[in-house]
């Protein structure tokens, strides 16, 4: 059965009035959205009720095809907003203090679906957002998809520190992105919509996040992922790109 965690906030801090504490808690609850639980492994349902009996709900459903569906309802509207995510997770053993731990890391691509139920990968609503389970508010990756890892962070957990442990983690994330491309290709989503989401050399990524771009470039060089004019995918090392006016004149043999 389900297990529940109950939080009780007494609002009795002498440095803050109950009215202030209530207001700050309300702002926090109303700020919850799909990304709040996207990367949480043990919480998939949140419901809160306000004193006026309106309520908010966030619910996550996952399936075996890497799809996460998150439904959100805010207290001021009866409408349920649903977002879909293509979700990938892995884990590795890391040294923590004097012991080792198996820690997870993950990535999520935003998915849009049209009226014909055809899906496509789209840029995330918030570009560059990085997660340490919860959003790291001051960190900016420049990526158009979300990444999550137990990064070593500042005390406020709002940005990623520069250290060897994080360099190792970003390598693991890069490998996970590379592996995700195989699934994306098998789902028939290796198209220009995806290329609009993947990073490129014009994004001016920092050296830290550029690790992901370099791994993607390396993957496309050895894997037959690149769509071509004749429909047969090839590696990027064998590809020629150019204006459509030229490609219309030249045949594939040429």
């Amino acid at each position: 059965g389900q297990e529940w965690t109950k939080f009780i906030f007494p609002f009795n801090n002498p440095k803050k009035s109950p009215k202030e504490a209530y207001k700050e808690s309300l702002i926090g609850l109303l700020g919850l959205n799909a990304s709040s639980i996207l990367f949480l492994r043990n919480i998939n349902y949140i419901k809160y009720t306000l004193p006026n009996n309106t309520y908010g709900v966030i619910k996550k459903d996952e399936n075996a095809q890497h799809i996460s569906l998150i439904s959100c309802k805010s207290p001021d509207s009866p409408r349920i907003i649903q977002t879909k995510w293509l979700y990938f997770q892995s884990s590795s053993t890391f040294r923590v203090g004097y012991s080792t731990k198996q820690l997870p890391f993950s990535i999520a691509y935003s998915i849009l679906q049209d009226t014909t139920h055809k899906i496509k990968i789209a840029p995330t609503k918030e570009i560059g957002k990085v997660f340490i389970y919860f959003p790291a508010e001051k960190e900016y990756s420049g990526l158009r998809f979300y990444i999550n890892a137990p990064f070593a962070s500042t005390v406020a957990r709002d940005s990623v520190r520069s250290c060897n442990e994080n360099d190792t983690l970003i390598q693991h994330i890069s490998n996970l992105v590379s592996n995700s491309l195989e699934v994306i290709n098998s789902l028939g989503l290796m198209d220009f919509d995806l290329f609009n989401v993947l990073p490129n050399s014009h994004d001016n990524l920092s050296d830290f996040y550029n690790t992901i771009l370099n791994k993607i470039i390396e993957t496309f060089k050895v894997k037959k992922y690149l769509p071509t004019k004749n429909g047969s995918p090839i590696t990027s090392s064998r590809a020629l790109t150019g204006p459509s006016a030229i490609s219309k004149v030249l045949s594939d043999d040429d």
Side-chain angles (χ1 to χ4, degrees):
Q2 290 180 318
E3 294 182 4
W4 298 89
T5 300
K6 185 176 183 178
F7 296 92
I8 298 175
F9 302 98
F11 291 174
N12 62 354
N13 189 323
K15 296 180 180 179
K16 187 172 293 182
S17 70
K19 190 174 182 179
E20 286 179 292
Y22 170 81
K23 184 179 179 182
E24 290 181 13
S25 300
L26 178 62
I27 290 171
L29 289 171
L30 295 177
L32 294 173
N33 56 33
S35 66
S36 301
I37 65 169
L38 178 59
F39 291 111
L40 301 185
R41 305 313 307 153
N42 297 317
I43 298 176
N44 55 27
Y45 181 82
I46 297 173
K47 180 178 180 181
Y48 58 92
T49 305
L50 303 182
N52 62 4
N53 284 328
T54 60
Y55 66 92
V57 172
I58 304 172
K59 184 173 182 288
K60 178 170 65 174
D61 296 290
E62 298 175 318
N63 67 24
Q65 303 302 313
H66 298 280
I67 300 290
S68 285
L69 174 66
I70 301 182
S71 305
C72 297
K73 181 205 166 299
S74 66
D76 58 0
S77 172
R79 185 179 168 215
I80 296 174
I81 298 174
Q82 292 187 324
T83 55
K84 276 189 176 181
W85 305 86
L86 194 59
Y87 184 93
F88 298 89
Q89 177 176 298
S90 188
S91 64
S92 189
T93 302
F94 298 92
R95 189 160 195 75
V96 180
Y98 295 102
S99 61
T100 58
K101 270 188 175 183
Q102 192 79 7
L103 297 175
F105 45 89
S106 42
I107 60 173
Y109 301 93
S110 176
I111 293 176
L112 295 182
Q113 191 168 21
D114 62 23
T115 52
T116 64
H117 299 292
K118 179 177 171 58
I119 65 172
K120 68 175 183 178
I121 295 176
T124 48
K125 189 175 180 181
E126 295 169 283
I127 304 299
K129 202 166 187 177
V130 176
F131 292 73
I132 309 174
Y133 301 112
F134 296 104
E137 298 296 349
K138 292 184 180 178
E139 187 68 22
Y140 180 78
S141 69
L143 301 170
R144 296 175 185 85
F145 56 92
Y146 292 155
I147 65 172
N148 166 68
F151 293 116
S153 67
T154 54
V155 175
R157 291 176 67 91
D158 57 5
S159 58
V160 175
R161 290 196 285 113
S162 177
C163 61
N164 292 335
E165 291 83 359
N166 286 342
D167 291 340
T168 300
L169 274 169
I170 204 68
Q171 290 285 355
H172 283 297
I173 288 284
S174 300
N175 291 336
L176 184 59
V177 172
S178 175
N179 293 339
S180 76
L181 295 175
E182 185 170 345
V183 176
I184 288 170
N185 188 50
S186 69
L187 293 172
L189 299 174
M190 188 67 70
D191 54 24
F192 284 105
D193 289 317
L194 173 68
F195 299 152
N196 283 330
V197 171
L198 295 181
N200 59 63
S201 58
H202 300 292
D203 290 335
N204 297 317
L205 303 180
S206 67
D207 289 343
F208 184 68
Y209 295 108
N210 209 53
T211 306
I212 297 174
L213 171 59
N214 290 337
K215 184 64 180 180
I216 291 171
I217 292 171
E218 178 187 312
T219 303
F220 271 89
K221 283 181 179 178
V222 297
K223 295 282 188 177
K224 292 182 178 181
Y225 288 157
L226 202 63
T228 61
K229 181 183 168 186
N230 70 6
S232 300
I234 59 173
T235 63
S236 63
S237 56
R238 293 192 60 244
L240 289 174
T241 61
S244 59
I246 294 179
S247 69
K248 288 174 182 175
V249 173
L250 300 174
S251 68
D252 291 324
D253 289 337
D254 293 333

